[in-house]
Amino acid sequence: MNVLIISSSPRKGGNSDLLCEQFAKGAAEAGHEVEKVNLREKKLSPCRACYGCMKDHVCSIRDDMAEIFPKLVSADVIVLASPVYFYSVCSQMKMMIDRCLVNHKAIAGKQFYFIVTAAAPEEEAADGTLAAFRGFLRCLPDAKEAGVIYGTGTWEKGDVYQHPVYAQAYEMGRRI
């Protein structure tokens, strides 16, 4: 299968980014084609709600979303990873999700995995972030949530190395 991992961590080597690497390692070792996109390395602008894309499915904004969107369409499995920012997704992820307006129905029939990290130790800290991810999936035809990786209780960069979720991310990648 073609696995696309979207890491929205603004910190290189941040906890959600490290869990993405573990998921990717497991999926690759299981024989899947894996690509990881780091949104922090991409030039993305927010959706302008101009609705120019409604006519021809071409966004009027010229940035790296033109490279990312076809990857979302061609993937079989999509992993969305975000640290919790004020109990929601970080701005990098929200921009990417909103920019899928260009032709969101083309992102059809995908399996989705979610990776969420938060400083707070309880899984409920991820509720708002998961609500944003699940709201996105509600707009995509035949999208299926396949798993969630909760990296809660991880504040400092690298905290996830000592967390059981580090091994879980690898195993979840292997099982897809």
Side-chain angles (χ1 to χ4, degrees), residues 53-74:
C53 61
M54 293 296 144
K55 181 175 60 173
D56 58 7
H57 299 298
V58 176
C59 185
S60 63
I61 302 170
R62 302 291 172 238
D63 63 10
D64 291 336
M65 194 61 188
E67 164 199 330
I68 297 168
F69 189 78
K71 295 175 191 282
L72 291 163
V73 172
S74 65

Side-chain angles (χ1 to χ4, degrees), residues 6-165:
I6 305 289
S7 174
S8 65
S9 177
R11 291 193 298 183
K12 183 176 184 177
N15 292 307
S16 61
D17 199 38
L18 293 171
L19 292 175
C20 287
E21 291 295 325
Q22 280 295 95
F23 190 102
K25 182 179 176 184
E29 287 180 10
H32 302 289
E33 292 294 319
V34 179
E35 181 176 3
K36 181 180 168 206
V37 172
N38 294 302
L39 294 182
R40 75 177 163 280
E41 297 170 358
K42 302 299 180 184
K43 182 181 184 300
L44 291 178
S45 298
C47 179
R48 297 181 190 141
C50 69
Y51 302 116
C53 61
M54 293 296 144
K55 181 175 60 173
D56 58 7
H57 299 298
V58 176
C59 185
S60 63
I61 302 170
R62 302 291 172 238
D63 63 10
D64 291 336
M65 194 61 188
E67 164 199 330
I68 297 168
F69 189 78
K71 295 175 191 282
L72 291 163
V73 172
S74 65
D76 301 304
V77 173
I78 299 172
V79 178
L80 300 178
S82 179
V84 172
Y85 275 35
F86 292 96
Y87 294 97
S88 190
V89 293
C90 65
S91 61
Q92 293 84 348
M93 179 60 74
K94 182 63 172 136
M95 272 194 293
M96 191 217 64
I97 288 171
D98 288 350
R99 292 290 300 286
C100 288
L101 178 64
V102 70
N103 191 10
H104 63 284
K105 294 201 185 292
I107 308 171
K110 313 296 180 191
Q111 286 183 40
F112 282 84
Y113 291 85
F114 305 137
I115 295 174
V116 181
T117 56
E122 63 280 347
E123 287 186 1
E124 291 79 18
D127 287 352
T129 303
L130 291 171
F133 285 155
R134 290 171 177 149
F136 178 46
L137 265 61
R138 289 182 64 183
C139 299
L140 307 178
D142 300 317
K144 300 203 178 19
E145 181 179 327
V148 178
I149 297 168
Y150 292 92
T152 53
T154 58
W155 170 258
E156 295 295 330
K157 196 173 178 179
D159 279 352
V160 77
Y161 287 126
Q162 309 306 318
H163 197 293
V165 77

